[in-house]
Amino acid sequence: MTRQASDAGVARASALLEVGRIDAARREIAAVLADDPDNAEALHVLARSHQAEDEFAAMLDAAARAVAVAPGQHEGHVLLAFAQIGVGNPAEARASACEAVRLAPEDWRGHAALALARLNLGQPRRAFQTIKQAVNLAPESAGPHHIRALMFHSIGWHMFATRSYRRALTLDPEHRAALTGLGSIAATRGWLTAAAGHLSAVLTAEPTNHAARTELDRVVIAGVGGWAVISVWTAGFLGMFAMLPWMWLVALLPPALWLLWAARTWRALTPGARVYAGHVARTDTRARVRLFGLALCTLTATGLVITALRQDADRPPAAPMVVMMVAHVVALLATAAAIVITDRKATSPRAADPRSSSE
C-alpha cells in the first residue's frame, strides 16, 4: 500500500468515525495498519474509535503505540492522556497532558486533559483554572464547555454544570454527551419528564449510547419505581384515618399524583426509548426489588385501610390496627434496605472521566 493509499484509508476511517460507523472505521484502519503498522495517523484514529465506545484499555494501547512512533506529535499525547484518565492513572495522564500542552499550547484538548487529571488528583482549584484556559482558547467550541460541565457535575455543583452543558448545546445542539449530562442532573433533581426528553433525544440519534441508557435506567428504576413505592406507602399511612370519610380522597391523592407524573414521563419518551424502558422494568434486578416492595407496601396499605374502616374513631387503636401499622412500617424499612443493597451492587460513584472529551 502506497503512502497515498494509506492517507486515503485514514481519511475514510476518520469520516466513518465522525458519523458513528465505528466498526467500518476500524476495518479501514486495520487494512492500513496491516501494511504500515507504524502509521501514527492511523493509530490516532484507532484510539479515537476505542474512546467512542469507552474502551479505555484498548485506547491506551493504541495511543501509546502512536506516541512511541511519533513522540513529536501532540495528538498522540492528548489521546494518551484521556486514555490514562479513563483507566484510572491520573498522575500519568497529567504528564502526558503536560507534554501535549508543551507541543501545542493553542490546542484546548491538552488543557482539558490536564484539568481532568488534576481534578482526579484532588487539585480542584488548579483543575478549574486549567479548564478556564481551555475555554478561553476555544470559546466557540462545545468541547471545552462540556468538559467544564463534566467537572462541575462530578463534584456536585449542578447549577454551574447545567449552565455549561447548555452553553455546549447552544454551540452544538446535537452534542450527545451534554444532553446526557442534562438528563442526569434532571433525574437527580426529580425532574423525570425533562430527563426523559433529554435522554430520548440522545437515544434516538444513538440507540446504543451506554451513558444515556444508564441514566434512563435511573429515571425508570429510581425515579418512577422508587416514587411508586413512596406514594403507595404514604397512601397507606393516610389510610390509617380511613374511619373519617373525608380522608379517603386525601389517601388516594399520592398514588394519583404518581400516576400523573409517571404518565407525563412516559409520554416524554420516544417509542424506541419506551421499548428499552419497558425491558429495563421487566428484567433489571433493581426494578424487580422495587416492584416487590411496591406489592408488599400495597398489601399492607390495603390491610391497614380495611382495618381502619372497622375501627371506632372514638376509641384507641385495637390490636389488629396496631399490628397492621407495624407491618406497614416494616414493609417500607425492608423495601428500603433491599433497594440500598441492590443499588450498591449495581452502581459505582461518579467520577470525572474522558467520555467524548476530545470532541
Side-chain angles (χ1 to χ4, degrees):
M1 185 180 291
T2 64
R3 181 65 184 180
Q4 185 176 6
S6 295
D7 291 344
V10 172
R12 286 195 299 272
S14 296
L16 289 167
L17 191 59
E18 286 294 323
V19 296
R21 297 182 59 189
I22 297 173
D23 291 337
R26 287 179 182 168
R27 286 194 293 271
E28 289 283 352
I29 289 301
V32 173
L33 292 175
D35 187 70
D36 183 9
D38 292 335
N39 189 311
E41 287 74 18
L43 290 169
H44 295 159
V45 176
L46 179 61
R48 288 198 295 272
S49 75
H50 289 301
Q51 183 183 27
E53 296 191 328
D54 296 342
E55 298 170 348
F56 295 117
M59 179 188 177
L60 180 65
D61 178 67
R65 287 169 58 193
V67 168
V69 169
Q73 293 188 21
H74 80 285
E75 181 71 17
H77 293 281
V78 169
L79 292 168
L80 183 59
F82 282 125
Q84 287 164 333
I85 295 168
V87 298
N89 294 328
E92 295 178 9
R94 179 175 57 185
S96 297
C98 285
E99 181 64 11
V101 171
R102 186 187 70 81
L103 292 170
E106 75 288 349
D107 188 340
W108 68 265
R109 296 175 303 158
H111 295 273
L114 182 57
L116 284 172
R118 284 174 170 168
L119 185 66
N120 288 340
L121 284 169
Q123 303 170 354
R125 184 182 297 275
R126 298 189 67 187
F128 281 100
Q129 289 173 346
T130 305
I131 195 59
K132 184 178 180 181
Q133 292 177 331
V135 171
N136 290 338
L137 284 169
E140 299 305 313
S141 174
H145 293 283
H146 167 246
I147 298 294
R148 181 156 65 176
L150 182 66
M151 292 169 63
F152 281 131
H153 196 170
S154 70
I155 62 174
W157 290 15
H158 291 165
M159 183 178 70
F160 294 102
T162 298
R163 186 180 302 168
S164 292
Y165 280 136
R166 286 179 175 163
R167 177 58 180 162
L169 286 170
T170 299
L171 297 168
D172 180 5
E174 297 181 357
H175 199 289
R176 295 170 197 151
L179 277 170
T180 302
L182 281 178
S184 175
I185 291 175
T188 299
R189 290 176 169 176
W191 302 340
L192 301 189
T193 303
H198 293 315
L199 299 173
S200 290
V202 176
L203 292 172
T204 297
E206 188 181 352
T208 60
N209 188 297
H210 176 72
R213 285 190 170 208
T214 300
E215 294 302 331
L216 186 55
D217 289 354
R218 290 180 61 213
V219 170
V220 174
I221 297 169
V224 177
W227 281 106
V229 175
I230 294 298
S231 67
V232 169
W233 188 89
T234 303
F237 175 80
L238 295 173
M240 289 191 300
F241 307 97
M243 72 287 295
L244 305 174
W246 59 269
M247 284 297 296
W248 298 351
L249 290 178
V250 177
L252 290 173
L253 187 59
L257 290 175
W258 173 82
L259 284 171
L260 177 62
W261 193 22
R264 289 186 61 195
T265 301
W266 187 256
R267 286 197 301 269
L269 294 172
T270 59
R274 289 176 188 172
V275 172
Y276 175 72
H279 173 74
V280 169
R282 291 190 303 270
T283 61
D284 194 286
T285 302
R286 294 166 295 170
R288 290 178 175 179
V289 166
R290 284 166 171 81
L291 183 60
F292 178 79
L294 178 62
L296 187 62
C297 288
T298 300
L299 181 63
T300 55
T302 302
L304 191 55
V305 171
I306 292 173
T307 307
L309 289 173
R310 298 175 178 177
Q311 175 75 28
D312 189 341
D314 297 326
R315 301 184 64 181
M321 186 70 177
V322 174
V323 170
M324 291 308 306
M325 291 167 60
V326 171
H328 196 52
V329 172
V330 170
L332 179 65
L333 295 177
T335 299
I339 287 173
V340 169
I341 292 171
T342 53
D343 285 3
R344 283 183 177 177
K345 289 181 178 179
T347 60
S348 58
R350 169 177 289 276
D353 61 49
R355 289 180 175 85
S356 305
S357 296
S358 60
E359 293 180 354

